[in-house]
Amino acid sequence: MNTGPLDWDAKTYDRVSDPQFSWGVEVVERLELDGGETVLDAGAGSGRVTGLLLERLPEGRLIALDGSPSMVEQCRANLGDRIAEYRVMDLAELELADPVDVVFSTATFHWVVDHENLFRRIYASLVPGGRLHAQCGGQGNVARHAQAIATVASRPEFAEHYEAMEMLWNFSSAEETAEQLRDAGFEEIETWLEPKPLSPPEPREFMRTVTLGPHLQLLPEELRETFIDQVVAEMDEPVTLDYVRLNMQARRPL
């Protein structure tokens, strides 16, 4: 299943997600569209990148899907009835009544632990000849930050809340992803990693909203701010997050 937060602080995410937006711009610019396709934005978030896709589809149809109700609500507030359909759905359970021409996604797939299942579901959601065009966290993504989180989570005041915590992220390699896409049936596969180190201007709010959501949800309210403080203290100054993006492009055979 998707192991990301069940819901997000969508308004704060919309404000602090400039890095994700800038990376999304690059992914959109690589996507070749005729303008009349039906596109699924799988993990639309607050809709900032989704709006760029809309500009590329003057005669097309765009479906905005996210697992977070508040993200879908914020996306709807930002884009209104220009979107053909809004859907709240866990990508691990992706199923569409009518297949689409393109499944597009940024900053989302690493929250879905089982990529083999994800790629099979995406394949089934595409028309013959349809394309997957996506980017997510890849091998080595936020490794130092993850170590800081693990260090703090192991401390006595927090440890009991994380005893049953399962894997949060799937930061896969380009090679493993290509193999999984082939196994799902895709062809014309391209996968590659891109380092994208980031020093967020509001590191505390960025971490609270973007990286620490699943951890905070497992803590009682009175421990959450302390947890954030201690994770921030474990990071070097200025806070730099060693992001690595995994790009993937593939096609379902005709």
Side-chain angles (χ1 to χ4, degrees):
M1 65 176 293
N2 181 344
T3 56
L6 296 178
D7 211 353
W8 292 71
D9 179 352
K11 290 186 181 299
T12 302
Y13 184 89
D14 196 53
R15 178 170 58 83
V16 303
S17 60
D18 283 352
Q20 282 76 11
F21 177 70
S22 66
W23 302 333
V25 170
E26 297 173 2
V27 182
V28 171
E29 289 177 346
R30 287 197 296 265
L31 177 60
E32 295 182 3
L33 293 170
D34 295 330
E37 295 91 344
T38 297
V39 177
L40 171 68
D41 189 353
S46 62
R48 297 182 68 186
V49 177
T50 316
L52 299 178
L53 280 173
L54 270 176
E55 296 173 6
R56 304 281 304 280
L57 294 165
E59 305 297 328
R61 185 170 182 269
L62 185 54
I63 303 168
L65 181 151
D66 202 278
S68 162
S70 68
M71 284 291 203
V72 172
E73 181 180 343
Q74 186 66 43
C75 187
R76 189 190 301 272
N78 289 342
L79 299 175
D81 59 8
R82 292 185 290 160
I83 297 293
E85 183 180 353
Y86 294 93
R87 298 191 68 174
V88 177
M89 180 180 289
D90 186 337
L91 279 178
E93 300 171 0
L94 177 64
E95 186 173 351
L96 301 179
D98 299 305
V100 298
D101 299 301
V102 178
V103 172
F104 175 93
S105 185
T106 62
T108 300
F109 287 176
H110 53 267
W111 290 108
V112 185
V113 172
D114 187 349
H115 280 184
E116 292 180 345
N117 170 66
L118 173 65
F119 295 151
R120 287 194 299 268
R121 288 182 175 273
I122 290 173
Y123 184 93
S125 299
L126 288 165
V127 299
R131 291 175 289 154
L132 167 63
H133 191 87
Q135 184 186 85
C136 63
Q139 186 178 44
N141 191 60
V142 295
R144 291 192 295 275
H145 183 45
Q147 183 56 55
I149 295 171
T151 297
V152 174
S154 67
R155 291 172 181 163
E157 63 267 43
F158 306 119
E160 65 178 298
H161 301 287
Y162 297 119
E163 290 175 353
M165 191 174 198
E166 299 178 352
M167 183 188 302
L168 283 180
W169 301 308
N170 184 345
F171 296 140
S172 184
S173 69
E175 295 77 14
E176 182 181 12
T177 298
E179 181 178 351
Q180 291 173 334
L181 288 168
R182 279 192 295 271
D183 289 345
F186 285 97
E187 62 181 18
E188 298 181 28
I189 297 164
E190 295 182 65
T191 59
W192 71 98
L193 295 174
E194 246 183 313
K196 293 283 188 180
L198 164 67
S199 296
E202 300 179 67
R204 197 175 190 282
E205 287 306 303
F206 188 91
M207 291 181 199
R208 177 207 300 275
T209 307
V210 179
T211 64
L212 295 180
H215 297 84
L216 297 178
Q217 287 185 2
L218 293 176
L219 290 174
E221 189 72 36
E222 64 271 16
L223 288 179
R224 293 179 181 180
E225 296 304 315
T226 303
F227 187 87
I228 297 170
D229 289 340
Q230 293 190 27
V231 171
V232 172
E234 286 292 318
M235 303 294 292
D236 295 332
E237 290 288 346
V239 171
T240 299
L241 302 174
D242 48 338
Y243 274 96
V244 178
R245 311 320 286 165
L246 169 62
N247 298 280
M248 62 190 81
Q249 300 174 13
R251 185 183 297 273
R252 175 172 175 163
L254 291 169

